[in-house]
Amino acid sequence: MTIPSPSTGPSSSGDSLWSRIMAHDLTYLFFRSPLTVVAAILSVAIILAALLAPWLASMDPFDPAQVFLADANIPPVWQDGGDPRFVLGTDDQGRDLYSAILYGMRVSLVIGLSGVALAATIGITLGLVAGYLGGRVDAVIMRVADVQLTFPAILIALLVNGVVQALSKGTSRETWAFGVLILSIGLSFWVQYARTIRGSTLIEKNKDYIHAARLVGQPTPLILLRHLLPNVIGPVLVILTINLGLAIITEATLSFLGVGLPPTQPSLGTLISIGNKYLFSGDWWIVTFPGLTLAIFVLSINLIGDWLRDALNPRLQ
Amino acid sequence: MLAFIIRRILQSCMVLLTVALLAFTMFRFVGDPVAQIVSLDTPAEEVRKVRESLGLDDPVIVQMGRYLYKAVQLDFGISYQFRQPVIELLAERAPATLELALISSLLSLAIGIPMGVYTALRRDSVFARVFQSISLVGVSLPTFLIGILLIYLFAVTLGWLPSFGRGQVVTVSGRWSTGLLTASGLKALILPSITLGLYQMTLIMRLVRAEMLEVLRSDHIKFARARGLTTRAIHFRHALKSTLVPVITIAGLQLGSIIAFAVITETVFQWPGMGALFLKAVQNVDIPIMAAYLMIISALFVTINMVVDLLYAFVDPRLRATIKG
Amino acid sequence: MTSQSLTPPVLELRNLVVEFVTRHGTLRALDGISLSIAPGEVLGVVGESGAGKSLTGAAVIGLLEPPGRIASGEVLLAGQRIDHLPMEDLRHIRGKRIGTIFQDPLTSLDPLYRVGEQLIETIRTHLPVSEQEARARAIALLAEVGIPASEKRIDGYPHEFSGGMRQRVVIALALAAEPELIIADEPTTALDVSVQAQIIAVLKKLCRERGTAVMLITHDMGVIAETADRVAVMYAGRVIEIGPVRDVVKSPKHPYAKGLMGSIPALDERPERLLQIEGAMPRLTAIPQGCAFHPRCPHVMPRCHEARPVLEAVGAGQVACFLHEVGQ
C-alpha cells in the first residue's frame, strides 16, 4: 500500500550528500516551517552578534582597565537606579551585562563548536576504523563506547576536569580552562558519532566500489578518507546540530558548577553562576539576561536540529 | 534462563572491571595516596615509610589487585579534604540522592509516558503541539537554569517552597535518613525533583512519541485495523505494549543517569547528597572520592541495566524464547 | 429461492477514484475502477506492482493511508454503499463482513500476544459470545486452517509458528467472524514456494465451504489461473480487462493483458520465446494522456493518444481498448 513518492525516483537515489539534500527538497520544507525559519534567523543573529562582539559591545569586559567596581550591580536602564551607560545593567564586578553577554556568547560558541568538532573527529575516526577493520579493534572500541554510554556526558566532563586539575597542580585556571572544557566536551560526545559511522561503514564496506578500491591496491587510509567517508557522513549532520546545543549547555553547566571558566573569562554559564548568587538580594538581571540568551540560542539550534532530523528521515516524507 | 543471567552478570562484571581500572589509575597516578595520611610537615623518612606500608613500591598489578580487593569491601580510602573514610561520607549522603532520584524518576515516567502516548495518538491536536513545544524547551533549557527559575518563582517571589536543603529528616532503622516522612521534608523535595525530572520527562515523552508513531505504522497494527478491532484495543492493547518494550531499556538507562545528573540539581538546591559531595571533590581535587563515586555510580548503572534486561525478557515473548534456547 | 439476478453482488465498485494530495499536486492513483464480485466468487486482481491493486483493497475497507482518499465513486457491499460511512460503522464491517489477509504473515500478527488471544479478541469484537465460546471457536478455526494440535498451539506466540503456519493463523483471523468477502492481498508472496500452494488450497477450500467471496490480489498468474473464477487486469490505476479466468488467461484481448499472459511460460506448450512488454509502467506523476498504455502498445493508433478507452463488453468479459470497440 505504499505510494511511490514523487520526489524520490531512481534519478535521485545517488549517494552523495548533495543529491540527497536535493532529493528531499530541503529548501522547500525549510520555508514550509515558519518556526524553523525563525530559529535559523535567531541563530544566525546570535552567531553574528558573537562574532562582531568587539564592535557591538560598549566595553571589553575582559579588560580590567575598563571595569570599575563602583559600577557593580547597577540595574537595567529602565529600572530605578539604572545607568544609560549600561542598558542591561552590570554584574557584581561592574561589567556591562550587555557587553559581557556578547563576549560570553563568543566564548560559549567557540568552546561549543571546538568541543563538537573534537567529538566528531574522534567519533568519526574511531567509527570508520572500527567498522572497516572489524575484529578485535572493533570489539575494543565499541566496548569502550558501550561503557562510556552508560555515563551522562556531564559526569565524564566533570571527571576529565578533575583529573586535569589534579595533574596541573599550581598552574592558574585561566591558562587551561579553555582547553579542558573543549577536551571534556570532545571526550563526552564522541560515542554517538562512532556508533552511527560504524553502522553505515559496515554496510558500505561490502559494496563494489570499496572492493574495487582495495583490489587496485589503494592504501587503507586513502580508502577510508576518499571513498568511505563521503558515503557515510550524511547522518552526522543531524547529530552535529543537536550536539552543538548540548555542548553549549555542557559548557554552561560546568562553568555554573564552578569547574569551567573562571569569572575573569566569563561565558554565559559563568555569568548565570554569578547572577545566581545575587538572585536572593533581588538583582534579577544578572541571571536573567545571560540565561535568556542561552535558552534562546540552544532552543533555536534544537529546533533546527529537530527539523533537520525529520526532513532527512525518508519515512516521514 | 540461567545461562542468560550468568552471561549478563559476567558482562556487567567486565564493565565494572573496566571502570575499576580507570578508578585505580586515577587513584594511584593522578592522586597521591600518601597525601591521605601525611601532612605537609611530615619528615621525608616517615613519608617513605608510609609509601612502603601502603605498598606503593609493589608492582602495579599487585597494587591494582589490592585496590580492587579493598573496593569490593567498600574501602575506598580516605578523603583528602575531610580526612574521613570515603565510604562513610558517601553512605551518609546516599539517602538524600537516592530519594531525590527515585521521586524524579517516578515523576518523569508518570508524566512522560502518558504525554508521549497522547502526542503520538493526537498528533495534530493543539495540545499535542503544545506538549511538543514544551518538550523542546525542556531539552533546550539547562537543568541549572530550570532550577534557578523555579527557585526564583516559588521560593523567592511566592515564598511557597524552600529553596535549599532537605527540610526535616527522620532517621529510619538507624541508618537511613529520610525526608519522605515529614511535611517539610516532602515540601523540600518538590522543586529539586521537578528540576531533576523535567529533562528526563521530556526525553521519555519524545521517545515514547517517536516509538509509538513507528509502531502505529507497523504491519501488525494495520492488520489489527483490518480485523476491525476497536480503536481503544488497537491503541492501548496492541500499540502501547509494543511501544513500551523498547522504551523500557532506554528509560532504564535514563533513570540510571538521573543519579549522576543529580550533581547539578544538588548544587543548585544545596541538597546534601552524593552529587554535591562529588562536585566538591572535583573542585578540591579529592581523588579518592572521585574514584569511589565513579565506581558506585557505575555499579548502580550496571545493576539497573541488568534488572531492565530481565524485565524485558518477561515482557517480550520473543526474547524469552531466545533466552530459554 | 431468490432468483440469481436479484441477489446483489457482494462487492461492487462504481467508478472508484482514489487521489493523493501531495505538494506536487493531486495524484490520481485509482482512476475510475468499476468491478463486481458475486457471492462465493473468486475475483483475481492482477497487474504489476504500482498498478493500484492493493490500493483498491485498502479503499474498500476504508484503510487508505493519508493523504490518500476516495475522491469519487461508490463502494457497495451487498448493495449498500459503504464508502461514506463513519469510521466507527466501517470498523464494524472490517473483520465482520470483510476479512483481510495481508502479504507478510511474519509481521501481520502482534508478536506480544498469544495466537489464541488475538483470535479470541477478534471473535469477541464482532460476535456476542463468551470467552469460553470464543476460545472453542478459535480452536476449531485453527484446526480448520490445518494447524495440528490446535488446542495446544492456540497458546503459542506467533514467533513459535513457521511462516506458512502463521499465514494459516492469519486466514483463521480473517474468517473468524464468518465474513461475506475476503480481501487477500498477495497472501503467498512472502512465503516459500513449497507452502504457497498449500495456503492457496486452504483459502480456496474454506471459502468455497462457506460461500465466502474472495478478492485475490496477486501478481502470480499461476495462482490466478488455478484459483480465480474471474480476473481483473489493472494498469496504471485502471481496470483494462475483466472477464472469466479462462478467457483472460487463454485469450486476452487487451494488448497489455496479452503481454502479461505471454510472460507466463506454459508447461504444455513450447513457445519460441516469452513475450515481453517494452518499457515500464508510468509513474503516477506521469500518466500519459488518452490510453495509459499507448506508449508501450504495439498496436497504438492515433486516437489512443487523445481519447481514453472505457470498459466495453467483448465476449463474456469487458475490455478497455479501441481495438475491440463495438463495430470494429
Side-chain angles (χ1 to χ4, degrees), chain B residues 17 22 26 42 46-47 62-63 92 107 123 130 140-143 158 160 167 181 196 201 209 213 219 223 226 285 303:
Chain B
L17 210 64
L22 202 72
M26 274 172 58
T42 315
E46 206 158 308
V47 173
V62 175
Q63 294 188 39
E92 223 170 80
L107 207 68
R123 196 139 64 113
V130 170
S140 301
L141 283 182
T143 309
L158 297 169
W160 291 350
L181 297 175
L196 184 54
M201 185 198 88
R209 174 179 182 270
L213 285 176
D219 283 355
F223 187 57
V285 202
T303 318

Side-chain angles (χ1 to χ4, degrees), chain B residues 219-220 222-223 225-231 233 237-238 241-242 245 315-318 320-321, chain C residues 63 65 91 94-95 100 102 107-113 118 121-122 125-126 157 159 170 173:
Chain B
D219 283 355
H220 77 260
K222 259 186 229 162
F223 187 57
R225 289 217 171 87
R227 283 194 275 150
L229 300 186
T230 59
T231 315
R237 237 173 93 79
H238 294 279
K241 196 166 177 185
S242 294
V245 169
V315 179
D316 192 338
R318 285 163 297 183
R320 204 150 59 214
Chain C
L63 285 183
E65 278 172 47
R91 178 181 75 70
R94 286 198 293 270
T100 311
F102 284 139
T107 54
S108 288
L109 300 170
D110 189 331
L112 301 182
Y113 287 95
Q118 302 188 44
E121 80 172 326
T122 311
T125 302
H126 298 298
Y157 284 99
H159 70 263
V170 171
L173 278 163

Side-chain angles (χ1 to χ4, degrees), chain A residues 70-149:
Chain A
D71 294 331
N73 296 20
I74 294 177
V77 69
W78 57 86
Q79 276 210 334
D80 280 349
D83 184 324
R85 281 182 301 156
F86 311 113
V87 182
L88 300 179
T90 60
D91 72 354
D92 64 333
Q93 311 199 15
R95 284 184 292 225
D96 172 37
L97 215 48
Y98 162 69
S99 310
I101 288 173
L102 285 179
Y103 277 89
M105 194 62 235
R106 213 175 190 209
V107 172
S108 297
L109 205 60
V110 168
I111 292 179
L113 283 172
S114 320
V116 168
L118 181 64
T121 312
I122 299 175
I124 291 172
T125 312
L126 290 181
L128 272 177
V129 170
Y132 188 74
L133 297 183
R136 204 169 292 171
V137 180
D138 181 34
V140 169
I141 294 178
M142 291 333 282
R143 196 98 328 246
V144 172
D146 282 349
V147 172
Q148 187 178 327
L149 209 62

Side-chain angles (χ1 to χ4, degrees), chain C residues 134-155:
Chain C
R135 189 179 163 87
R137 196 185 162 85
I139 292 173
L141 270 168
L142 287 178
E144 266 191 283
V145 295
I147 289 177
S150 58
E151 66 282 356
K152 257 192 216 135
R153 300 285 273 160
I154 190 171
D155 290 322

Side-chain angles (χ1 to χ4, degrees), chain A residues 46-315:
Chain A
I46 290 177
I47 291 170
L48 275 181
L51 285 178
L52 301 176
W55 292 276
L56 295 175
S58 56
M59 64 179 276
D60 180 356
F62 293 119
D63 181 3
Q66 298 185 33
V67 180
F68 303 101
L69 264 177
D71 294 331
N73 296 20
I74 294 177
V77 69
W78 57 86
Q79 276 210 334
D80 280 349
D83 184 324
R85 281 182 301 156
F86 311 113
V87 182
L88 300 179
T90 60
D91 72 354
D92 64 333
Q93 311 199 15
R95 284 184 292 225
D96 172 37
L97 215 48
Y98 162 69
S99 310
I101 288 173
L102 285 179
Y103 277 89
M105 194 62 235
R106 213 175 190 209
V107 172
S108 297
L109 205 60
V110 168
I111 292 179
L113 283 172
S114 320
V116 168
L118 181 64
T121 312
I122 299 175
I124 291 172
T125 312
L126 290 181
L128 272 177
V129 170
Y132 188 74
L133 297 183
R136 204 169 292 171
V137 180
D138 181 34
V140 169
I141 294 178
M142 291 333 282
R143 196 98 328 246
V144 172
D146 282 349
V147 172
Q148 187 178 327
L149 209 62
T150 55
F151 297 103
I154 192 80
L155 194 65
I156 309 271
L158 278 171
L159 278 172
V160 171
N161 214 285
V163 168
V164 173
Q165 205 174 329
L167 292 175
S168 63
K169 262 170 262 170
T171 54
S172 108
R173 189 169 193 88
E174 273 87 354
T175 53
W176 49 261
F178 230 84
V180 171
L181 279 173
I182 293 171
L183 187 70
S184 307
I185 292 169
L187 290 181
S188 314
F189 288 108
W190 65 274
V191 176
Q192 217 182 345
Y193 298 93
R195 290 190 142 196
T196 312
I197 290 286
R198 175 178 173 268
S200 347
T201 303
L202 284 178
I203 299 167
E204 288 292 321
K205 78 169 177 186
N206 290 322
K207 290 200 177 159
D208 286 341
Y209 69 95
I210 299 293
H211 287 306
R214 212 173 330 178
L215 281 177
V216 196
Q218 293 200 12
T220 306
L222 196 70
I223 296 180
L224 287 182
L225 289 179
R226 278 269 294 279
H227 302 290
L228 213 45
L229 188 60
N231 287 303
V232 295
I233 200 85
V236 165
L237 194 63
V238 177
I239 310 179
L240 273 177
T241 321
I242 291 172
N243 265 359
L244 180 59
L246 274 176
I248 289 175
I249 288 185
T250 306
E251 181 278 318
T253 305
L254 288 173
S255 296
F256 173 80
L257 293 176
V259 293
L261 289 169
T264 47
Q265 299 173 321
S267 73
L268 290 180
T270 325
L271 290 172
I272 296 169
S273 172
I274 294 170
N276 189 34
K277 287 184 219 145
Y278 293 92
L279 195 56
F280 287 93
S281 47
D283 298 351
W284 55 272
W285 57 91
I286 310 180
V287 71
T288 306
F289 296 120
L292 212 59
T293 315
L294 180 70
I296 290 175
F297 186 52
V298 176
L299 185 61
S300 302
I301 295 177
N302 281 346
L303 273 171
I304 297 173
D306 240 31
W307 165 81
L308 203 59
R309 188 185 44 205
D310 288 352
L312 292 180
N313 183 350
R315 266 190 289 191

Side-chain angles (χ1 to χ4, degrees), chain C residues 228-300:
Chain C
D229 301 314
R230 289 194 309 134
V231 187
V233 183
M234 290 188 67
Y235 184 81
R238 303 162 190 190
V239 174
I240 50 117
E241 180 161 355
I242 183 167
V245 70
R246 288 209 135 272
D247 297 5
V248 178
V249 172
K250 285 270 154 118
S251 54
K253 307 280 185 307
H254 195 284
Y256 175 71
K258 273 184 189 148
L260 199 64
M261 304 308 155
S263 58
I264 342 164
L267 287 177
D268 48 347
E269 293 160 31
R270 293 217 328 249
E272 289 302 297
R273 56 184 281 265
L274 293 175
L275 268 168
Q276 202 189 343
I277 316 168
E278 294 292 322
M281 204 172 63
R283 289 207 261 143
L284 284 182
T285 39
I287 292 179
Q289 267 226 304
C291 174
F293 187 61
H294 82 250
R296 301 169 72 188
C297 184
H299 311 289
V300 60

